[in-house]
Amino acid sequence: MNGDSSKKQVAIAQAYFAVQTRRQELSDQLNEDMKRLSLRERVRQAHLALSGAAKNAGVIRFDQFYAAGYRGLYEMGLKDIKSKKGIPEHEELMDYAGREELAANEFKLTQTEAKLKRENVSDELAARDVHKKVGAEIRTAIENVGGTMPEDLPAEPPIKSIRENVRKALPKSPSRKKNE
């Protein structure tokens, strides 16, 4: 790359390596974006599964049930989390979460679901308590491994823009071409 670019062969080689480097950077970013999209979808599915388990456990006030989980993991309410991260109030927190934060939340959701089922929880207050305690235990685990607390992780670009970037970057399949 430090050769004499006035020489044709050096200039061609420099251009080639510059293009290849950029292609690799774009490929790496696309790979990270796809991992985040996949994890966001897993969190969405885990949320739905937990909602079913919570309903079976007698939860009626789902806003309070989910608030308890946030208080356990983040030690603050959803409104305060969004405010701290600069996320608009009407947006979904998880749509601005990076992979680390999404993973912590997926673990909280799946473990709460499992505990509600395993312990046959059948009371709304008990279900709320389970959600908060599971969140707090995951917070403790993050602290024990020297991780960053989820409320201190930065907000990422919204998942909608990541979805759009991936859509634009991937080659169009025959079915996508027909739909556009």
Side-chain angles (χ1 to χ4, degrees):
M1 291 306 289
N2 294 327
D4 182 358
S5 61
S6 65
K7 294 180 181 176
K8 185 177 180 179
Q9 289 178 324
V10 172
I12 290 170
Q14 286 175 334
Y16 171 81
F17 286 111
V19 167
Q20 292 304 317
T21 299
R22 182 65 183 140
R23 284 180 67 197
Q24 187 62 49
E25 289 169 348
L26 291 172
S27 177
D28 291 348
Q29 183 59 53
L30 179 61
N31 190 32
E32 286 301 308
D33 287 349
M34 290 178 73
K35 286 178 184 176
R36 183 171 166 219
L37 283 173
S38 175
L39 190 50
R40 177 62 182 105
E41 178 58 22
R42 286 179 21 204
V43 168
R44 190 181 74 73
Q45 292 295 326
H47 188 276
L48 291 173
L50 177 57
S51 291
K55 183 178 179 182
N56 290 340
V59 172
I60 296 169
R61 293 175 292 258
F62 285 88
D63 58 332
Q64 292 177 16
F65 174 75
Y66 281 105
Y70 286 126
R71 281 194 187 81
L73 181 58
Y74 292 85
E75 292 188 339
M76 61 179 73
L78 182 59
K79 187 175 181 178
D80 292 331
I81 300 165
K82 287 182 179 181
S83 176
K84 181 172 183 164
K85 290 176 174 274
I87 298 171
E89 201 172 312
H90 65 280
E91 295 285 344
E92 292 285 331
L93 172 64
M94 294 297 102
D95 285 350
Y96 288 80
R99 289 179 50 222
E100 187 176 350
E101 187 173 359
L102 285 167
N105 276 277
E106 181 186 28
F107 193 49
K108 174 182 65 76
L109 295 166
T110 58
Q111 293 307 300
T112 301
E113 175 193 5
K115 189 169 177 75
L116 290 174
K117 289 177 178 178
R118 184 174 56 251
E119 296 181 2
N120 294 317
V121 175
S122 59
D123 171 73
E124 183 164 8
L125 291 176
R128 251 190 264 162
D129 188 51
V130 165
H131 201 184
K132 185 174 182 178
K133 284 180 180 176
V134 169
E137 287 295 328
I138 293 167
R139 181 178 183 84
T140 299
I142 292 168
E143 186 176 30
N144 288 343
V145 298
T148 303
M149 291 297 114
E151 68 275 9
D152 295 327
L153 292 167
E156 298 283 334
I159 208 77
K160 292 174 201 166
S161 67
I162 300 302
R163 233 182 242 118
E164 183 63 20
N165 291 345
V166 168
R167 187 189 67 75
K168 287 178 183 177
L170 293 177
K172 292 183 181 176
S173 67
S175 61
R176 267 190 56 206
K177 288 178 184 177
K178 289 177 188 174
N179 293 335
E180 291 182 1

